[in-house]
Amino acid sequence: MGKVTGFLEFERLEEGYEPVEKRVKNYKEFVIGLSAEEAKVQGARCMDCGTPFCNNGCPVNNIIPDFNDLVFQGDWKNAVQVLHSTNNFPDFTGRVCPAPCEAACVLNINNDAVGIKSIEHSIIDRAWAEGWVQPQPPKFKTGKKVAIVGSGPAGMAAAQQLARVGHDVTVFEKNDTIGGLLRFGIPDFKFDKAHIDRRVQQMAAEGVVFQTNTIVGELPKSGAAAKVTNWAQTTVTPEQLQKDFDAVILTGGSEQSRDLPVPGRDLAGIHFAMEFLPQQNRVNAGGKVKEQIRADGKHVIVIGGGDTGSDCVGTSNRHGAKSVVQFEVMPRPPEEEDGPLTWPYWPIKLRTSSSHEEGCEREFAIATKEFIGEAGKVTGVKTVRVEFKNGKFEEVAGSEQTLKADLVLLAMGFTNPVDTLLNGFGVEKDARGNAKAGTDADTGYKTNVAKVFAAGDVRRGQSLVVWAIREGRQAAREVDAFLMGTSTLPR
């Protein structure tokens, strides 16, 4: 362990932020990471528990006490090796993961958890700076070909694992750059896309082929799925992939946004968050967007209280919105969690993001009844307060009000992957519309279609980047065993 009495001597130290007035003027990352000495002190707080719940709290089962101790000892090179042994992309998770490992930290029962995420962030940034992150090309080629549909974190993780054991891997992406929702859904101020680019370069050197601007199958012509970001110029049929490759892994996102079918929904100025956010990321990358959705000088209402809604808040503030209000249908959670009740699970408590701190009014226990408009454009949102009673939301009598709105962004999550992809392969779906495939040793991410596998959000539904990486890694092992009869890849 780091230092026997470290958790008694040292306080948790949070990563810093650039001042609001500076960071809202651009789209650059603004988190100030820990120095080497600060990371060492945080590593000293790790108690190396007899049962380290943080390992199981982490979806990829990072070996957290070990790399905490290595940072405390100053052995950064071995720390990154331990980190990479379970996680292909700690530069992703060290920035955008909500850190369920910290919720599960034993110290979190009655104290502040070890700053695991900040230590992970420090390790991988140090590794890139020192040149320790290098391509790992295979020592031999198997002659087997694998197609991966979707280039988000699940697809990238699966591709890297399979390429390193000698398979010929091709990743198909419908948009013009790699990364999926990691690239187009997360704003640059939270996650600089250069982190994806250097991983793509590493993977290309390991033999992965990336085929962008290529959609497998087609998108629906109407409904929420028709709004999914798609800049493809080439189409490949599912039948062609099944013919040309020895295995296919579906790793697309759960991209169909949840809609809000209330009166006035067809008014201009009401958009899905995933129409709004990808456009700004594309502009930041130097691309052009015709009639970009902008919040400049507008009264913005964001419907949805999660991370995507928070991203809409931050982007709207950078556009120069006149006001931003965020709705959440659930009641306002408590300021502090009930640790003894919830530990080691993810606690319910009020979470204030960096975007909220930049300027946002938050409304809880509120529902939208109607969109109001003039001349075909939205001008307001008619709302009502709600209470959760008898297993359902009930309106509070006399609580109706109308809020001014020039732009409404729907950020209520995602319902399922685009069904035309699954239908094209003939993949059986579960009750939620996701690809039906188990994760245990027997089912091994297999779908009902021969040599077609599914992993990530396309299988489990909307989830975290770290869960996508876990499923991509595990699916890679199952595909390798399917192709070779056995596998040396970790599960």
Side-chain angles (χ1 to χ4, degrees), residues 85-396:
S85 70
T86 55
N87 185 354
N88 294 65
F89 311 119
D91 28 2
F92 301 172
T93 53
R95 287 171 167 81
V96 300
C97 183
C101 55
E102 294 185 13
C105 174
V106 172
L107 191 56
N108 195 47
I109 296 174
N110 62 352
N111 203 326
D112 292 328
V114 174
I116 299 167
K117 180 179 175 180
S118 63
I119 295 171
E120 178 179 340
H121 187 178
S122 297
I123 293 170
I124 189 59
D125 280 9
R126 174 76 175 268
W128 279 108
E130 297 286 352
W132 296 334
V133 183
Q134 295 294 326
Q136 299 177 35
K139 296 179 180 179
F140 63 90
K141 301 292 284 185
T142 65
K144 301 291 186 179
K145 297 170 65 178
V146 181
I148 295 179
V149 182
S151 71
M156 291 181 68
Q160 185 166 63
Q161 294 294 92
L162 289 167
R164 286 178 173 178
V165 291
H167 302 306
D168 293 320
V169 181
T170 303
V171 177
F172 293 86
E173 168 57 49
K174 66 181 183 301
N175 294 314
D176 55 3
T177 38
I178 298 300
L181 291 180
L182 190 66
R183 181 177 293 274
F184 293 108
I186 300 178
D188 291 350
F189 56 80
K190 283 180 64 175
F191 181 73
D192 191 318
K193 304 312 179 286
H195 305 305
I196 303 176
D197 295 336
R198 63 188 180 186
R199 285 296 185 179
V200 169
Q201 293 175 3
Q202 179 196 31
M203 292 168 65
E206 293 169 346
V208 177
V209 175
F210 295 98
Q211 188 165 326
T212 56
N213 292 118
T214 303
I215 188 168
V216 177
E218 59 182 7
L219 289 180
K221 300 296 190 291
S222 62
K227 302 283 185 150
V228 169
T229 303
N230 174 31
W231 294 310
Q233 299 173 353
T234 305
T235 300
V236 174
T237 66
E239 293 80 9
Q240 192 65 47
L241 291 190
Q242 290 170 288
K243 177 183 176 183
D244 294 345
F245 292 87
D246 299 297
V248 178
I249 313 179
L250 307 180
T251 59
S254 180
E255 295 185 272
Q256 187 162 314
S257 299
R258 180 172 284 107
D259 210 341
L260 186 57
V262 299
R265 172 63 181 89
D266 58 346
L267 291 168
I270 303 172
H271 303 277
F272 292 120
M274 289 310 299
E275 295 177 82
F276 178 65
L277 296 173
Q279 289 186 359
Q280 186 58 56
N281 283 2
R282 188 169 176 82
V283 170
N284 293 347
K288 294 182 179 180
V289 175
K290 186 178 181 181
E291 299 179 354
Q292 182 188 356
I293 303 167
R294 299 279 307 182
D296 313 65
K298 295 178 180 178
H299 295 283
V300 180
I301 290 183
V302 179
I303 301 178
D307 288 341
T308 302
S310 174
D311 293 343
C312 289
V313 170
T315 302
S316 296
N317 282 327
R318 282 162 178 75
H319 282 183
K322 192 168 185 178
S323 68
V324 183
V325 181
Q326 185 179 20
F327 289 180
E328 170 56 63
V329 71
M330 299 298 293
R332 184 184 180 92
E335 296 284 341
E336 298 291 336
E337 73 267 32
D338 186 343
L341 177 67
T342 60
W343 182 88
Y345 301 107
W346 188 248
I348 297 174
K349 66 177 181 178
L350 182 66
R351 301 177 192 277
T352 301
S353 73
S354 58
S355 292
H356 295 141
E357 294 170 351
E358 294 163 3
C360 173
E361 181 181 345
R362 303 171 74 181
E363 296 283 352
F364 294 89
I366 190 170
T368 301
K369 286 184 69 70
E370 183 180 356
F371 296 115
I372 309 299
E374 295 179 5
K377 295 183 179 180
V378 68
T379 58
V381 179
K382 187 176 181 181
T383 68
V384 65
R385 297 291 169 177
V386 294
E387 294 179 335
F388 195 71
K389 294 181 177 179
N390 303 317
K392 63 180 180 178
F393 287 105
E394 296 184 2
E395 296 183 3
V396 177

Side-chain angles (χ1 to χ4, degrees), residues 56-95:
N56 286 333
C58 172
V60 293
N61 303 125
N62 277 337
I63 312 170
I64 293 165
D66 290 33
F67 67 64
N68 284 344
D69 177 60
L70 288 166
V71 168
F72 175 73
Q73 301 296 339
D75 191 352
W76 291 80
K77 194 167 186 177
N78 275 323
V80 77
Q81 290 182 354
V82 170
L83 189 52
H84 271 145
S85 70
T86 55
N87 185 354
N88 294 65
F89 311 119
D91 28 2
F92 301 172
T93 53
R95 287 171 167 81

